[in-house]
Amino acid sequence: KAGVTQTPRYLIKTRGQQVTLSCSPISGHRSVSWYQQTPGQGLQFLFEYFSETQRNKGNFPGRFSGRQFSNSRSEMNVSTLELGDSALYLCASSLDIHYGYTFGSGTRLTVV
Amino acid sequence: KNEVEQSPQNLTAQEGEFITINCSYSVGISALHWLQQHPGGGIVSLFMLSSGKKKHGRLIATINIQEKHSSLHITASHPRDSAVYICAVTYAGGTSYGKLTFGQGTILTVHP
Protein backbone atom coordinates (compact mmCIF):
# COMPACT_ATOMS: atom_id res chain seq x y z
CA LYS A 1 0.00 0.00 0.00
CA ALA A 2 1.21 3.51 -0.70
CA GLY A 3 3.08 5.30 2.08
CA VAL A 4 2.78 8.87 3.27
CA THR A 5 3.51 11.25 0.40
CA GLN A 6 4.87 14.72 0.94
CA THR A 7 5.25 17.27 -1.82
CA PRO A 8 7.37 18.98 -2.83
CA ARG A 9 10.58 17.30 -1.62
CA TYR A 10 12.65 20.45 -1.86
CA LEU A 11 11.72 24.11 -1.89
CA ILE A 12 13.65 27.36 -1.95
CA LYS A 13 11.79 30.51 -1.00
CA THR A 14 12.70 34.12 -0.34
CA ARG A 15 12.27 35.80 3.03
CA GLY A 16 8.80 37.34 3.30
CA GLN A 17 7.15 34.90 0.89
CA GLN A 18 4.66 32.26 1.89
CA VAL A 19 4.77 28.52 1.25
CA THR A 20 2.31 25.63 1.22
CA LEU A 21 3.38 22.04 1.84
CA SER A 22 1.24 18.99 1.16
CA CYS A 23 0.89 15.62 2.88
CA SER A 24 -1.17 12.68 1.65
CA PRO A 25 -1.62 10.07 4.39
CA ILE A 26 -1.92 6.33 4.11
CA SER A 27 -5.37 5.36 2.90
CA GLY A 28 -7.69 5.01 5.88
CA HIS A 29 -5.57 7.10 8.21
CA ARG A 30 -7.52 10.09 9.46
CA SER A 31 -4.85 11.62 11.72
CA VAL A 32 -2.12 13.74 10.20
CA SER A 33 0.50 15.47 12.32
CA TRP A 34 3.25 17.87 11.27
CA TYR A 35 6.75 18.33 12.66
CA GLN A 36 9.64 20.71 12.08
CA GLN A 37 13.23 19.47 12.28
CA THR A 38 16.17 21.87 12.58
CA PRO A 39 19.78 21.24 13.62
CA GLY A 40 19.39 23.54 16.61
CA GLN A 41 15.98 22.55 17.97
CA GLY A 42 15.66 19.00 16.73
CA LEU A 43 12.18 17.66 16.03
CA GLN A 44 9.26 19.75 17.24
CA PHE A 45 5.51 19.20 16.97
CA LEU A 46 3.58 21.73 14.88
CA PHE A 47 -0.04 20.52 14.84
CA GLU A 48 -2.34 17.54 14.38
CA TYR A 49 -5.53 17.14 12.38
CA PHE A 50 -8.15 14.44 12.60
CA SER A 51 -11.23 14.35 10.36
CA GLU A 52 -10.64 17.95 9.23
CA THR A 53 -10.36 19.28 12.80
CA GLN A 54 -7.22 20.58 14.44
CA ARG A 55 -6.99 18.70 17.73
CA ASN A 56 -3.62 19.86 18.94
CA LYS A 57 -1.14 22.62 18.27
CA GLY A 58 2.49 23.08 19.22
CA ASN A 59 4.24 26.22 20.34
CA PHE A 60 4.74 27.96 17.01
CA PRO A 61 3.73 31.46 15.91
CA GLY A 62 0.51 32.08 14.05
CA ARG A 63 2.43 32.29 10.76
CA PHE A 64 2.28 28.50 10.81
CA SER A 65 -1.13 27.14 9.94
CA GLY A 66 -2.63 24.03 8.49
CA ARG A 67 -5.77 22.35 7.32
CA GLN A 68 -7.09 18.94 6.44
CA PHE A 69 -9.44 18.05 3.65
CA SER A 70 -12.26 15.53 3.59
CA ASN A 71 -9.99 12.96 1.93
CA SER A 72 -7.56 13.36 4.90
CA ARG A 73 -4.90 15.09 2.82
CA SER A 74 -3.35 17.90 4.78
CA GLU A 75 -1.57 21.10 3.95
CA MET A 76 0.54 23.37 6.09
CA ASN A 77 1.19 26.99 5.28
CA VAL A 78 3.90 29.29 6.49
CA SER A 79 3.41 32.97 5.80
CA THR A 80 5.97 35.78 5.90
CA LEU A 81 8.89 33.36 5.79
CA GLU A 82 11.92 34.01 7.98
CA LEU A 83 15.42 32.61 7.59
CA GLY A 84 14.84 30.54 10.73
CA ASP A 85 11.99 28.68 9.05
CA SER A 86 14.55 26.78 6.99
CA ALA A 87 14.03 23.20 8.10
CA LEU A 88 12.89 19.72 7.20
CA TYR A 89 9.12 19.54 7.56
CA LEU A 90 7.78 16.06 8.21
CA CYS A 91 4.27 14.79 8.36
CA ALA A 92 3.08 11.53 9.86
CA SER A 93 -0.20 9.71 9.54
CA SER A 94 -1.92 7.37 11.95
CA LEU A 95 -5.24 5.64 12.50
CA ASP A 96 -5.43 7.48 15.84
CA ILE A 97 -3.37 8.21 18.94
CA HIS A 98 -3.15 4.64 20.18
CA TYR A 99 -1.60 3.46 16.94
CA GLY A 100 1.84 3.91 15.51
CA TYR A 101 2.88 6.62 13.11
CA THR A 102 4.04 6.40 9.50
CA PHE A 103 6.22 9.29 8.40
CA GLY A 104 6.64 10.87 5.00
CA SER A 105 10.05 11.62 3.49
CA GLY A 106 9.74 15.28 4.35
CA THR A 107 9.93 18.60 2.55
CA ARG A 108 13.22 20.43 2.89
CA LEU A 109 12.52 24.16 2.90
CA THR A 110 15.32 26.66 2.46
CA VAL A 111 14.57 30.34 3.02
CA VAL A 112 17.07 32.75 1.46
CA LYS B 1 16.36 20.08 30.44
CA ASN B 2 14.71 18.06 27.68
CA GLU B 3 11.69 16.00 28.71
CA VAL B 4 13.16 13.04 26.83
CA GLU B 5 16.84 12.28 27.29
CA GLN B 6 18.82 9.88 25.14
CA SER B 7 22.28 8.48 25.66
CA PRO B 8 24.78 8.28 24.19
CA GLN B 9 24.51 11.15 21.70
CA ASN B 10 27.10 9.54 19.44
CA LEU B 11 27.98 5.86 19.18
CA THR B 12 30.60 4.18 17.03
CA ALA B 13 30.76 0.40 16.74
CA GLN B 14 32.44 -2.33 14.75
CA GLU B 15 30.34 -4.63 12.64
CA GLY B 16 28.97 -7.47 14.72
CA GLU B 17 28.93 -5.62 18.04
CA PHE B 18 25.92 -5.51 20.36
CA ILE B 19 24.57 -1.96 20.67
CA THR B 20 22.40 -0.34 23.32
CA ILE B 21 20.79 3.10 23.16
CA ASN B 22 19.01 4.44 26.22
CA CYS B 23 16.06 6.77 26.67
CA SER B 24 14.70 8.33 29.85
CA TYR B 25 11.61 10.45 30.28
CA SER B 26 10.37 12.54 33.14
CA VAL B 27 6.62 12.05 33.42
CA GLY B 28 4.10 9.28 32.77
CA ILE B 29 3.45 8.41 29.16
CA SER B 30 0.92 6.49 27.13
CA ALA B 31 3.50 5.15 24.66
CA LEU B 32 7.16 5.32 23.71
CA HIS B 33 8.38 5.17 20.12
CA TRP B 34 11.74 4.28 18.66
CA LEU B 35 12.40 5.87 15.27
CA GLN B 36 15.21 5.56 12.74
CA GLN B 37 16.30 8.40 10.49
CA HIS B 38 18.74 7.91 7.62
CA PRO B 39 20.62 10.70 5.82
CA GLY B 40 18.13 12.38 3.51
CA GLY B 41 15.62 12.77 6.31
CA GLY B 42 12.97 10.07 6.06
CA ILE B 43 11.91 8.60 9.40
CA VAL B 44 10.93 4.98 9.92
CA SER B 45 9.00 3.91 12.98
CA LEU B 46 10.73 0.88 14.54
CA PHE B 47 8.70 0.22 17.67
CA MET B 48 5.80 1.55 19.69
CA LEU B 49 5.83 0.36 23.31
CA SER B 50 3.64 0.85 26.32
CA SER B 51 5.06 -2.01 28.39
CA GLY B 52 7.44 -4.95 28.28
CA LYS B 53 9.56 -5.86 25.31
CA LYS B 54 9.29 -6.11 21.53
CA LYS B 55 11.58 -7.76 19.00
CA HIS B 56 11.87 -7.37 15.26
CA GLY B 57 14.72 -9.12 13.55
CA ARG B 58 17.96 -7.94 15.16
CA LEU B 59 16.25 -5.10 17.00
CA ILE B 60 14.90 -5.37 20.53
CA ALA B 61 13.15 -2.62 22.47
CA THR B 62 12.35 -2.72 26.17
CA ILE B 63 10.58 -0.34 28.50
CA ASN B 64 10.44 -0.06 32.29
CA ILE B 65 7.43 2.07 33.16
CA GLN B 66 8.31 2.36 36.87
CA GLU B 67 11.82 3.62 36.12
CA LYS B 68 10.67 5.71 33.11
CA HIS B 69 13.37 4.19 30.96
CA SER B 70 13.59 2.40 27.63
CA SER B 71 16.41 0.74 25.73
CA LEU B 72 16.90 -0.11 22.08
CA HIS B 73 19.27 -2.98 21.40
CA ILE B 74 20.79 -3.97 18.07
CA THR B 75 22.34 -7.42 17.93
CA ALA B 76 25.05 -8.30 15.39
CA SER B 77 25.26 -4.70 14.16
CA HIS B 78 25.87 -4.02 10.48
CA PRO B 79 27.02 -0.91 8.59
CA ARG B 80 23.49 -0.53 7.18
CA ASP B 81 22.32 0.10 10.76
CA SER B 82 24.19 3.42 10.65
CA ALA B 83 21.54 6.08 11.19
CA VAL B 84 20.12 8.43 13.79
CA TYR B 85 17.92 6.68 16.34
CA ILE B 86 15.31 8.81 18.01
CA CYS B 87 13.22 8.11 21.08
CA ALA B 88 9.85 9.84 21.26
CA VAL B 89 6.95 9.72 23.70
CA THR B 90 3.25 10.44 23.67
CA TYR B 91 1.58 11.56 26.85
CA ALA B 92 -1.86 10.51 28.03
CA GLY B 93 -4.82 12.82 27.71
CA GLY B 94 -6.47 14.95 25.09
CA THR B 95 -3.54 17.33 24.72
CA SER B 96 -1.45 14.45 23.41
CA TYR B 97 -3.26 14.09 20.08
CA GLY B 98 -0.61 13.52 17.42
CA LYS B 99 2.02 15.10 19.62
CA LEU B 100 5.29 13.27 19.81
CA THR B 101 7.93 14.70 22.14
CA PHE B 102 11.37 13.74 20.88
CA GLY B 103 14.76 13.05 22.34
CA GLN B 104 17.76 14.65 20.73
CA GLY B 105 18.71 11.47 18.85
CA THR B 106 21.67 9.09 18.90
CA ILE B 107 23.98 9.08 15.89
CA LEU B 108 25.10 5.49 15.30
CA THR B 109 27.99 4.65 12.99
CA VAL B 110 28.86 1.02 12.38
CA HIS B 111 32.20 0.36 10.68
CA PRO B 112 32.86 -2.77 8.61
Side-chain angles (χ1 to χ4, degrees):
Chain A
K1 77 184 170 183
V4 177
T5 303
Q6 288 189 249
T7 56
R9 286 296 310 277
Y10 302 93
L11 206 47
I12 300 175
K13 287 287 188 178
T14 303
R15 205 167 33 170
Q17 286 186 315
Q18 73 156 13
V19 67
T20 299
L21 312 182
S22 177
C23 174
S24 293
I26 287 175
S27 178
H29 286 192
R30 292 194 290 167
S31 170
V32 175
S33 47
W34 288 88
Y35 303 89
Q36 181 197 63
Q37 186 176 34
T38 59
Q41 299 296 320
L43 278 157
Q44 294 182 285
F45 170 75
L46 281 157
F47 28 65
E48 190 258 4
Y49 287 87
F50 184 89
S51 293
E52 303 179 66
T53 299
Q54 185 183 87
R55 293 195 300 187
N56 204 355
K57 189 177 190 304
N59 189 25
F60 278 81
R63 301 185 296 107
F64 291 81
S65 63
R67 58 178 175 168
Q68 188 180 33
F69 301 95
S70 58
N71 62 357
S72 294
R73 189 178 71 85
S74 178
E75 290 181 346
M76 67 162 282
N77 184 279
V78 188
S79 62
T80 320
L81 283 165
E82 300 176 1
L83 296 178
D85 298 331
S86 295
L88 179 68
Y89 290 88
L90 290 152
C91 78
S93 78
S94 176
L95 283 170
D96 207 340
I97 61 169
H98 299 297
Y99 299 85
Y101 294 84
T102 303
F103 285 81
S105 298
T107 293
R108 189 165 296 279
L109 171 66
T110 302
V111 182
V112 297
Chain B
K1 187 178 185 303
N2 200 8
E3 295 175 47
V4 181
E5 293 282 342
Q6 283 185 240
S7 63
Q9 291 192 18
N10 287 278
L11 185 53
T12 301
Q14 290 297 127
E15 185 173 354
E17 286 185 355
F18 181 85
I19 287 163
T20 296
I21 299 170
N22 296 299
C23 176
S24 297
Y25 51 92
S26 54
V27 297
I29 61 171
S30 64
L32 183 141
H33 306 255
W34 281 104
L35 311 171
Q36 180 192 57
Q37 186 173 35
H38 281 282
I43 289 178
V44 174
S45 179
L46 300 174
F47 295 103
M48 177 178 165
L49 292 161
S50 55
S51 65
K53 175 180 173 178
K54 288 189 176 180
K55 184 176 188 290
H56 184 255
R58 296 179 295 105
L59 301 178
I60 303 166
T62 63
I63 188 168
N64 185 317
I65 297 295
Q66 287 72 31
E67 295 187 4
K68 296 185 176 58
H69 180 270
S70 176
S71 293
L72 176 69
H73 305 287
I74 305 175
T75 62
S77 59
H78 190 275
R80 65 174 174 268
D81 297 326
S82 298
V84 179
Y85 291 83
I86 303 167
C87 171
V89 301
T90 52
Y91 297 107
T95 58
S96 71
Y97 292 130
K99 182 178 180 179
L100 289 170
T101 301
F102 300 89
Q104 68 271 50
T106 295
I107 302 171
L108 171 65
T109 305
V110 182
H111 294 293

Coordinates of all heavy atoms in Angstrom, one line a residue, chain A residues 8-65:
Chain A
P8 N 6.2 19.5 -2.1 CA 7.4 19.0 -2.8 C 8.5 18.4 -1.9 O 8.4 18.5 -0.7 CB 7.9 20.2 -3.6 CG 7.6 21.3 -2.6 CD 6.3 21.0 -1.9
R9 N 9.5 17.8 -2.4 CA 10.6 17.3 -1.6 C 11.5 18.4 -1.2 O 12.1 18.4 -0.1 CB 11.4 16.2 -2.4 CG 10.6 14.9 -2.5 CD 10.4 14.2 -1.2 NE 11.6 14.1 -0.4 CZ 12.5 13.2 -0.5 NH1 12.4 12.2 -1.4 NH2 13.6 13.1 0.4
Y10 N 11.7 19.3 -2.1 CA 12.7 20.5 -1.9 C 12.0 21.8 -2.3 O 11.3 21.8 -3.3 CB 14.0 20.3 -2.6 CG 14.7 19.0 -2.3 CD1 14.5 17.8 -3.0 CD2 15.6 19.0 -1.2 CE1 15.2 16.7 -2.7 CE2 16.2 17.8 -0.9 CZ 16.0 16.7 -1.6 OH 16.7 15.5 -1.3
L11 N 12.3 22.8 -1.6 CA 11.7 24.1 -1.9 C 12.7 25.2 -1.5 O 13.2 25.1 -0.4 CB 10.4 24.2 -1.1 CG 9.3 25.1 -1.5 CD1 8.9 24.9 -3.0 CD2 8.0 24.8 -0.7
I12 N 12.9 26.2 -2.3 CA 13.6 27.4 -1.9 C 12.7 28.6 -2.1 O 12.1 28.8 -3.1 CB 14.9 27.5 -2.8 CG1 15.8 26.3 -2.7 CG2 15.7 28.8 -2.5 CD1 17.0 26.3 -3.7
K13 N 12.6 29.3 -1.0 CA 11.8 30.5 -1.0 C 12.6 31.7 -0.5 O 13.6 31.5 0.2 CB 10.6 30.3 -0.1 CG 9.5 29.3 -0.6 CD 8.8 30.0 -1.8 CE 7.6 29.1 -2.2 NZ 6.8 29.8 -3.3
T14 N 12.1 32.9 -0.8 CA 12.7 34.1 -0.3 C 12.0 34.6 0.9 O 10.8 34.4 1.1 CB 12.6 35.2 -1.4 OG1 13.2 34.7 -2.6 CG2 13.3 36.5 -1.0
R15 N 12.8 35.2 1.8 CA 12.3 35.8 3.0 C 11.1 36.7 2.7 O 11.1 37.5 1.8 CB 13.4 36.6 3.7 CG 13.3 36.8 5.1 CD 14.6 37.4 5.7 NE 15.3 38.3 4.8 CZ 16.3 39.0 5.2 NH1 16.7 38.9 6.4 NH2 16.9 39.7 4.3
G16 N 10.0 36.5 3.5 CA 8.8 37.3 3.3 C 7.7 36.6 2.5 O 6.6 37.0 2.5
Q17 N 8.1 35.6 1.7 CA 7.1 34.9 0.9 C 6.4 33.9 1.8 O 6.6 33.8 3.0 CB 7.9 34.1 -0.2 CG 8.4 34.9 -1.4 CD 8.9 34.1 -2.5 OE1 9.7 33.1 -2.2 NE2 8.6 34.4 -3.7
Q18 N 5.4 33.3 1.2 CA 4.7 32.3 1.9 C 4.8 30.9 1.1 O 5.2 30.9 0.0 CB 3.2 32.6 2.0 CG 2.4 32.5 0.7 CD 0.9 32.2 1.0 OE1 0.4 32.4 2.1 NE2 0.2 31.8 0.0
V19 N 4.6 29.8 1.9 CA 4.8 28.5 1.3 C 3.7 27.6 1.7 O 3.2 27.7 2.9 CB 6.2 28.0 1.6 CG1 6.3 27.6 3.1 CG2 6.5 26.7 0.8
T20 N 3.3 26.7 0.9 CA 2.3 25.6 1.2 C 2.9 24.3 0.9 O 3.4 24.0 -0.2 CB 1.0 25.8 0.4 OG1 0.4 27.1 0.7 CG2 0.0 24.7 0.8
L21 N 2.9 23.4 2.0 CA 3.4 22.0 1.8 C 2.2 21.1 1.9 O 1.2 21.3 2.6 CB 4.4 21.7 3.0 CG 5.5 22.8 3.2 CD1 6.4 22.3 4.4 CD2 6.3 23.1 2.0
S22 N 2.3 19.9 1.2 CA 1.2 19.0 1.2 C 1.6 17.6 1.7 O 2.8 17.2 1.6 CB 0.8 18.8 -0.3 OG -0.2 17.9 -0.4
C23 N 0.7 17.0 2.3 CA 0.9 15.6 2.9 C -0.3 14.8 2.6 O -1.4 15.1 3.0 CB 1.1 15.7 4.4 SG 1.2 14.1 5.2
S24 N -0.1 13.6 1.9 CA -1.2 12.7 1.6 C -0.9 11.5 2.5 O 0.1 10.8 2.4 CB -1.2 12.3 0.2 OG -1.6 13.4 -0.6
P25 N -1.9 11.2 3.4 CA -1.6 10.1 4.4 C -1.9 8.7 3.8 O -2.4 8.6 2.6 CB -2.6 10.4 5.5 CG -3.8 11.0 4.8 CD -3.1 11.9 3.7
I26 N -1.6 7.7 4.5 CA -1.9 6.3 4.1 C -3.4 6.2 4.1 O -4.1 6.8 4.9 CB -1.3 5.3 5.1 CG1 0.2 5.2 4.9 CG2 -2.0 3.9 5.0 CD1 0.9 4.4 5.9
S27 N -3.9 5.5 3.1 CA -5.4 5.4 2.9 C -6.0 4.8 4.2 O -5.5 3.8 4.7 CB -5.6 4.4 1.7 OG -7.0 4.2 1.6
G28 N -7.0 5.5 4.7 CA -7.7 5.0 5.9 C -7.2 5.7 7.1 O -7.9 5.7 8.2
H29 N -6.1 6.3 7.1 CA -5.6 7.1 8.2 C -6.2 8.5 8.2 O -6.1 9.2 7.3 CB -4.0 7.3 8.1 CG -3.3 6.0 8.5 ND1 -1.9 6.0 8.7 CD2 -3.7 4.7 8.6 CE1 -1.5 4.8 8.9 NE2 -2.6 4.0 8.9
R30 N -6.8 8.8 9.4 CA -7.5 10.1 9.5 C -6.7 11.1 10.3 O -7.1 12.3 10.3 CB -8.9 9.9 10.1 CG -9.8 9.1 9.1 CD -11.3 9.2 9.5 NE -11.5 8.5 10.8 CZ -12.6 8.6 11.5 NH1 -13.6 9.5 11.1 NH2 -12.8 7.9 12.6
S31 N -5.7 10.7 10.9 CA -4.8 11.6 11.7 C -3.6 12.0 10.9 O -2.9 11.1 10.5 CB -4.5 11.0 13.1 OG -3.5 11.7 13.7
V32 N -3.3 13.3 10.8 CA -2.1 13.7 10.2 C -1.5 14.7 11.1 O -2.1 15.7 11.6 CB -2.4 14.4 8.8 CG1 -1.1 15.0 8.3 CG2 -3.0 13.4 7.8
S33 N -0.2 14.5 11.5 CA 0.5 15.5 12.3 C 1.7 16.0 11.6 O 2.3 15.3 10.7 CB 0.9 14.8 13.7 OG 1.5 13.6 13.5
W34 N 2.1 17.2 11.9 CA 3.2 17.9 11.3 C 4.4 18.2 12.3 O 4.1 18.5 13.4 CB 2.8 19.2 10.6 CG 1.9 19.0 9.4 CD1 0.6 18.9 9.4 CD2 2.4 19.0 8.1 NE1 0.1 18.8 8.1 CE2 1.2 18.9 7.3 CE3 3.6 19.1 7.4 CZ2 1.3 18.8 5.9 CZ3 3.7 19.1 6.1 CH2 2.5 18.9 5.3
Y35 N 5.6 18.1 11.8 CA 6.8 18.3 12.7 C 7.8 19.1 11.9 O 7.9 19.0 10.7 CB 7.4 17.0 13.1 CG 6.4 16.1 13.8 CD1 5.6 15.2 13.1 CD2 6.3 16.2 15.2 CE1 4.7 14.4 13.7 CE2 5.3 15.4 15.8 CZ 4.6 14.5 15.1 OH 3.7 13.7 15.7
Q36 N 8.5 19.9 12.6 CA 9.6 20.7 12.1 C 10.9 20.2 12.7 O 11.0 19.9 13.9 CB 9.5 22.2 12.4 CG 10.6 23.1 11.9 CD 10.7 24.4 12.6 OE1 11.0 24.5 13.8 NE2 10.5 25.5 11.8
Q37 N 11.9 19.9 11.8 CA 13.2 19.5 12.3 C 14.3 20.4 11.9 O 14.5 20.7 10.7 CB 13.6 18.1 11.7 CG 14.8 17.5 12.3 CD 15.1 16.1 11.9 OE1 14.8 15.7 10.7 NE2 15.7 15.3 12.7
T38 N 15.0 21.0 12.8 CA 16.2 21.9 12.6 C 17.4 21.4 13.4 O 17.2 20.7 14.4 CB 15.9 23.3 13.0 OG1 15.6 23.3 14.4 CG2 14.7 23.9 12.3
P39 N 18.6 21.7 12.9 CA 19.8 21.2 13.6 C 19.8 21.8 15.1 O 20.3 21.1 16.0 CB 20.9 21.8 12.8 CG 20.4 22.0 11.4 CD 18.9 22.3 11.6
G40 N 19.3 23.0 15.3 CA 19.4 23.5 16.6 C 18.3 23.1 17.6 O 18.6 22.8 18.8
Q41 N 17.1 22.9 17.1 CA 16.0 22.5 18.0 C 15.6 21.1 17.9 O 14.7 20.6 18.7 CB 14.8 23.4 17.6 CG 15.0 24.9 17.9 CD 15.3 25.2 19.3 OE1 14.7 24.7 20.2 NE2 16.3 26.1 19.6
G42 N 16.1 20.4 16.9 CA 15.7 19.0 16.7 C 14.3 18.9 16.2 O 13.8 19.8 15.4
L43 N 13.5 17.9 16.5 CA 12.2 17.7 16.0 C 11.2 18.3 17.0 O 11.2 18.0 18.2 CB 11.9 16.2 15.9 CG 12.4 15.5 14.7 CD1 12.6 14.0 14.9 CD2 11.4 15.7 13.5
Q44 N 10.3 19.1 16.4 CA 9.3 19.7 17.2 C 7.9 19.6 16.6 O 7.8 19.7 15.4 CB 9.6 21.2 17.4 CG 10.8 21.5 18.2 CD 11.1 23.0 18.3 OE1 11.5 23.7 17.4 NE2 10.8 23.5 19.5
F45 N 6.9 19.4 17.4 CA 5.5 19.2 17.0 C 4.9 20.5 16.5 O 5.0 21.5 17.3 CB 4.7 18.6 18.1 CG 3.2 18.5 17.9 CD1 2.7 17.6 17.0 CD2 2.4 19.4 18.6 CE1 1.3 17.6 16.9 CE2 1.0 19.4 18.4 CZ 0.5 18.4 17.6
L46 N 4.3 20.5 15.4 CA 3.6 21.7 14.9 C 2.1 21.7 15.2 O 1.5 22.5 15.9 CB 3.8 21.9 13.4 CG 5.1 22.5 13.0 CD1 5.5 22.1 11.5 CD2 5.1 24.0 13.1
F47 N 1.4 20.7 14.6 CA 0.0 20.5 14.8 C -0.5 19.2 14.3 O 0.2 18.5 13.6 CB -0.9 21.6 14.2 CG -0.4 22.3 13.0 CD1 -0.2 21.6 11.8 CD2 0.0 23.6 13.0 CE1 0.3 22.2 10.7 CE2 0.5 24.3 11.9 CZ 0.7 23.5 10.7
E48 N -1.7 18.8 14.8 CA -2.3 17.5 14.4 C -3.8 17.8 13.9 O -4.5 18.6 14.6 CB -2.3 16.5 15.5 CG -2.7 15.1 15.1 CD -4.1 14.7 15.5 OE1 -4.9 15.6 16.1 OE2 -4.5 13.6 15.3
Y49 N -4.2 17.1 12.9 CA -5.5 17.1 12.4 C -6.1 15.8 12.4 O -5.4 14.8 12.1 CB -5.6 17.7 11.0 CG -5.3 19.2 11.0 CD1 -4.0 19.7 10.9 CD2 -6.3 20.1 11.0 CE1 -3.7 21.1 10.9 CE2 -6.1 21.5 11.1 CZ -4.8 21.9 11.0 OH -4.5 23.3 11.0
F50 N -7.4 15.7 12.7 CA -8.2 14.4 12.6 C -9.5 14.8 12.1 O -10.2 15.6 12.6 CB -8.2 13.8 14.0 CG -8.9 12.5 14.0 CD1 -8.2 11.3 13.8 CD2 -10.3 12.4 14.2 CE1 -8.8 10.1 13.8 CE2 -10.9 11.1 14.2 CZ -10.2 10.0 14.0
S51 N -9.9 14.1 11.0 CA -11.2 14.4 10.4 C -11.5 15.8 10.2 O -12.5 16.3 10.6 CB -12.3 13.7 11.2 OG -12.2 12.3 11.1
E52 N -10.5 16.5 9.6 CA -10.6 17.9 9.2 C -10.6 18.9 10.4 O -10.8 20.1 10.2 CB -11.9 18.2 8.4 CG -12.0 17.3 7.1 CD -13.2 17.6 6.3 OE1 -13.4 18.7 5.8 OE2 -14.1 16.7 6.2
T53 N -10.4 18.4 11.6 CA -10.4 19.3 12.8 C -9.0 19.3 13.4 O -8.3 18.2 13.6 CB -11.4 18.8 13.9 OG1 -12.7 18.8 13.3 CG2 -11.3 19.6 15.1
Q54 N -8.5 20.5 13.7 CA -7.2 20.6 14.4 C -7.4 20.2 15.9 O -8.2 20.9 16.6 CB -6.6 22.0 14.3 CG -5.2 22.1 15.0 CD -4.7 23.5 14.9 OE1 -4.9 24.3 15.8 NE2 -4.0 23.8 13.9
R55 N -6.8 19.2 16.4 CA -7.0 18.7 17.7 C -5.9 19.2 18.6 O -6.0 19.2 19.9 CB -7.1 17.2 17.8 CG -8.3 16.6 17.1 CD -8.5 15.1 17.5 NE -7.4 14.3 17.2 CZ -7.4 12.9 17.3 NH1 -8.5 12.3 17.8 NH2 -6.4 12.2 16.9
N56 N -4.7 19.5 18.1 CA -3.6 19.9 18.9 C -2.7 20.8 18.2 O -2.6 20.7 16.9 CB -2.9 18.6 19.4 CG -2.1 18.8 20.7 OD1 -2.0 19.9 21.2 ND2 -1.5 17.7 21.1
K57 N -2.0 21.7 18.9 CA -1.1 22.6 18.3 C 0.1 22.8 19.1 O 0.0 22.9 20.4 CB -1.9 24.0 18.1 CG -1.1 25.0 17.3 CD -2.0 26.2 17.1 CE -1.4 27.2 16.1 NZ 0.0 27.6 16.4
G58 N 1.2 22.9 18.5 CA 2.5 23.1 19.2 C 2.7 24.6 19.4 O 1.9 25.4 19.1
N59 N 3.9 24.9 20.0 CA 4.2 26.2 20.3 C 5.0 26.9 19.2 O 6.1 27.2 19.3 CB 5.1 26.2 21.6 CG 5.3 27.6 22.2 OD1 4.5 28.5 21.9 ND2 6.4 27.8 22.9
F60 N 4.2 27.2 18.2 CA 4.7 28.0 17.0 C 3.9 29.2 16.8 O 2.7 29.2 17.1 CB 4.7 27.1 15.8 CG 5.9 26.1 15.7 CD1 5.9 24.9 16.4 CD2 7.0 26.4 14.9 CE1 7.0 24.1 16.3 CE2 8.1 25.6 14.8 CZ 8.0 24.4 15.5
P61 N 4.5 30.2 16.2 CA 3.7 31.5 15.9 C 2.6 31.2 14.9 O 2.6 30.2 14.2 CB 4.8 32.4 15.3 CG 5.9 31.6 14.9 CD 5.9 30.4 15.7
G62 N 1.7 32.2 14.9 CA 0.5 32.1 14.1 C 0.8 32.1 12.6 O -0.1 31.7 11.8
R63 N 2.1 32.4 12.2 CA 2.4 32.3 10.8 C 2.4 30.8 10.2 O 2.3 30.6 9.0 CB 3.9 32.8 10.6 CG 4.1 34.2 11.0 CD 5.5 34.7 10.6 NE 6.6 33.9 11.3 CZ 7.3 33.0 10.8 NH1 7.2 32.7 9.5 NH2 8.3 32.3 11.5
F64 N 2.4 29.9 11.2 CA 2.3 28.5 10.8 C 0.8 28.1 11.0 O 0.2 28.2 12.0 CB 3.2 27.6 11.7 CG 4.6 27.9 11.5 CD1 5.3 28.9 12.1 CD2 5.4 27.0 10.8 CE1 6.6 29.2 11.9 CE2 6.7 27.2 10.6 CZ 7.4 28.2 11.1
S65 N 0.3 27.6 9.9 CA -1.1 27.1 9.9 C -1.3 25.9 9.1 O -0.4 25.5 8.3 CB -2.1 28.2 9.4 OG -1.8 28.5 8.1

